Amino acid sequence: MPKLTKLPKALLFDLDGTLANTIPQLAIAAFASAKAVGIEPPSVETTKSFVGNGVNLLLSRVIAGKFDVTTDDIEPNVLKKARETFNEVYLKGLDKDYNLYEGVEEGLKYFKEIGIKLAVVTNKPQIFAVPLLGYMGIAKYFDFILGGEVLEVRKPNPEPLYYVLDKLNVDKDSAVMVGDSDNDIIAGNNAKMSTVFFTYGYNRKAISELNFDYKFDKFSELTDLIKKLQGNKNV
C-alpha cells in the first residue's frame, strides 16, 4: 500500500507488544502450566519467543520446548491440563504484571477525539483480551475488540481484519493495521491495508523481511503522523 495521504478512518491495533508489555504476566501463567504437566518451566525470555499465535500454540511450544511445533504434536490430555492451569492463573493475574507503553493512552485519547474508529485485533483469546484492556484503563477508547478463538482463523490470516472492518463499517483502503510483529504486518499485507510497525515489541522475523509502510520506535511517532495528516489539506 502507498503511504497515507489523508487521515485514516480506522486504526486496528495488536495488543501484546504493541499497546503494552504483557510478557511478565504471560510468563507467570506459562510457568504454572509447565509445572502442572511436570515439565521444566520456560524462562521469561523463552516465553517471549513463543508468544504471538494464541495460547494453545504458546503452550504447545512450552511443552515441546521448541518453537517449531503444532498443537497436533502434543498429547491432547497434556495440552488440556496445561490450558486449564493457564486459564486459571492468567485470569487471576490480569490486573497486574503489565505496563502500557509510553504514549499509548495519550495517543488513543487523541485518535478518539478526532473521530478515528479504533479497534483491537489480537490473537490473545477474547476471554483475556477484553478484561485486560479494562484493567489497563484503555478499553473505553475502542469501538470493537476482537480476540483469538472467536473466529476459526487468526493473524496472519486477513479474515480477522476484514471481520473488524465490517463491524466498524470502514473499508480496507481507509484503515491501518498497527502492530509489533510479523503476524500483524503480514496480516495487513494479506488484507491489502496500510501498515505501521513498532520496533519495540515481540517481532521474530528480521525487520528487513517485513513489508510495512511505516516503522516507528515509539508510539508517539504514530500520534505525530496522525496529527500531521489531520492538518493535511487533502483530508
Side-chain angles (χ1 to χ4, degrees), residues 141-160:
Y141 298 115
F142 294 105
D143 299 282
F144 197 81
I145 298 167
L146 179 66
E149 303 179 355
V150 174
L151 305 180
E152 291 185 2
V153 295
R154 54 175 62 90
K155 298 177 298 183
N157 189 298
E159 189 57 34

Side-chain angles (χ1 to χ4, degrees), residues 24-196:
Q25 61 181 207
L26 284 166
I28 290 169
F31 186 98
S33 299
K35 296 283 282 186
V37 297
I39 63 172
E40 184 69 22
S43 67
V44 173
E45 280 305 307
T46 297
T47 301
K48 182 178 179 179
S49 72
F50 286 168
V51 302
N53 301 101
V55 171
N56 284 342
L57 196 48
L58 163 64
L59 294 175
S60 296
R61 290 166 177 163
V62 168
I63 293 164
K66 60 182 180 179
F67 181 83
D68 293 321
V69 67
T70 72
T71 54
D72 292 334
D73 297 323
I74 307 302
E75 206 281 312
N77 287 336
V78 175
L79 182 56
K80 181 174 182 287
K81 184 174 182 179
R83 180 61 191 265
E84 288 171 350
T85 301
F86 185 95
N87 285 0
E88 181 181 356
V89 173
Y90 197 51
L91 281 170
K92 286 181 180 177
L94 279 174
D95 62 338
K96 52 186 175 295
D97 297 310
Y98 68 81
N99 63 281
L100 281 178
Y101 290 118
E102 184 179 356
V104 166
E105 183 157 16
E106 296 88 340
L108 295 176
K109 184 174 184 291
Y110 170 70
F111 304 150
K112 190 74 172 176
E113 285 174 349
I114 63 173
I116 297 176
K117 294 182 178 180
L118 305 177
V120 169
V121 187
T122 176
N123 286 343
K124 180 189 288 293
Q126 187 86 354
I127 60 168
F128 304 136
V130 172
L132 177 57
L133 289 164
Y135 285 127
M136 290 177 174
I138 58 175
K140 60 189 176 185
Y141 298 115
F142 294 105
D143 299 282
F144 197 81
I145 298 167
L146 179 66
E149 303 179 355
V150 174
L151 305 180
E152 291 185 2
V153 295
R154 54 175 62 90
K155 298 177 298 183
N157 189 298
E159 189 57 34
L161 280 61
Y162 292 145
Y163 181 88
V164 170
L165 289 174
D166 182 63
K167 295 294 185 182
L168 298 178
N169 195 27
V170 174
D171 67 83
K172 63 181 178 59
D173 296 327
S174 301
V176 181
M177 180 64 214
V178 183
D180 68 294
S181 77
D182 51 314
N183 277 336
D184 306 314
I185 301 306
I186 295 170
N189 294 159
N190 289 339
K192 295 180 169 53
M193 290 172 56
S194 295
T195 54
V196 170

